[in-house]
Amino acid sequence: MTDYTLHYAPDNASLIIRLALEAQGVAYDTCLVDRAAQGQSAPAYRALNPHGLIPALQTPDGPLFETGAILLWLADRHGGLAPAATDATRADFLKWLFFVANTVHPALRMLFYPEKYVGVDDAAQDALHTTVTQALQTHLRRLEDRAAADTLPLALALYLAPLLRWCALYPRNRDRGWFDLRATPHLHALCARVETLPCTAAAQTAEGLGPTPFTAPHLATPPIGSAT
């Protein structure tokens, strides 16, 4: 037993937390949330995350949910991911962390699960897709500018690389031509850097991410569980 249990599904937002735990060298256990069986809606999981979203992290301080909150908590508890609270660069880190967690990540959720926002009407989903992809292009340009200005803290790099992976892969039933990682060379370099890290090697094995999970991603082939 360890102090932490990561409730995860392969190639879901829990990947971000797995990368962070591995990068920090923190021991943790895992518990698969079986998405194919709607495990995220099971009462036992809802007791950890009442919103039914993945991930949840069990800790000695109680269960945590929300990817950005878990990252920040781990950064402050164990170090190595982000500037300390007294560091002069902390404010910059926080504003970009919350931009990614509160703006970029929710936009991707709207893109991947349009029926949760506008129902099953095709025209409504098409309109949402257009609106969200236009917004995401603006968001990514701003992140490209920030990445060009200075190296991003590790917590942000570990958050962004999976998000950029999913832009290239999902949704499977729609044209993804709006996204080209090569159009943002500094974000491409960020993804390439994250691919070289030992934490990524561990995640590749655990979740079947393939040899180039962020710069040239393919659908995951996990040893257990399902990404969708």
Side-chain angles (χ1 to χ4, degrees):
M1 290 289 294
T2 69
D3 286 341
Y4 300 124
T5 298
L6 175 63
H7 295 258
Y8 83 102
D11 207 15
N12 278 235
S14 49
L15 169 61
I16 298 160
I17 305 306
R18 183 191 292 275
L19 290 169
L21 289 164
E22 292 285 346
Q24 291 180 308
V26 174
Y28 65 100
D29 297 312
T30 58
C31 182
L32 177 69
V33 181
D34 187 355
R35 289 199 58 180
Q38 291 295 303
Q40 67 270 34
S41 298
Y45 186 73
R46 291 277 184 156
L48 300 173
N49 186 345
H51 311 296
L53 300 174
I54 300 167
L57 181 68
Q58 287 181 273
T59 81
D61 294 345
L64 300 178
F65 53 82
E66 293 295 325
T67 304
I70 300 171
L71 268 181
L72 185 57
W73 188 88
L74 288 172
D76 288 347
R77 178 61 62 98
H78 297 288
L81 295 179
T86 56
D87 193 293
T89 62
R90 173 75 166 198
D92 183 76
F93 162 70
L94 288 175
K95 68 187 181 187
W96 287 106
L97 174 65
F98 280 83
F99 175 69
V100 172
N102 292 354
T103 301
V104 181
H105 198 165
L108 289 180
R109 182 169 171 78
M110 294 174 70
L111 193 66
F112 302 156
Y113 306 106
E115 71 282 357
K116 296 181 182 293
Y117 298 90
V118 297
V120 298
D121 180 73
D122 288 341
Q125 290 194 10
D126 288 345
L128 180 66
H129 185 272
T130 297
T131 299
V132 172
T133 54
Q134 288 174 347
L136 281 166
Q137 287 174 320
T138 298
H139 301 336
L140 294 183
R141 285 195 297 270
R142 289 173 179 161
L143 286 163
E144 171 71 4
D145 291 343
R146 173 60 186 83
D150 194 13
T151 302
L152 292 174
L154 183 57
L156 282 172
L158 298 182
Y159 204 150
L160 278 172
L163 296 187
L164 294 166
R165 166 184 170 81
W166 300 326
C167 286
L169 293 177
Y170 300 109
R172 299 301 296 168
N173 63 341
R174 288 189 178 273
D175 176 30
R176 297 182 300 283
W178 69 271
F179 175 75
D180 182 356
L181 182 61
R182 294 168 299 180
T184 50
H186 291 91
L187 293 180
H188 186 282
L190 177 148
C191 286
R193 176 167 63 92
V194 173
E195 281 183 350
T196 69
L197 299 177
C199 63
T200 297
Q204 286 169 292
T205 299
E207 304 197 13
L209 301 182
T212 52
F214 305 123
T215 58
H218 298 281
L219 293 175
T221 55
I224 59 171
S226 170
T228 58

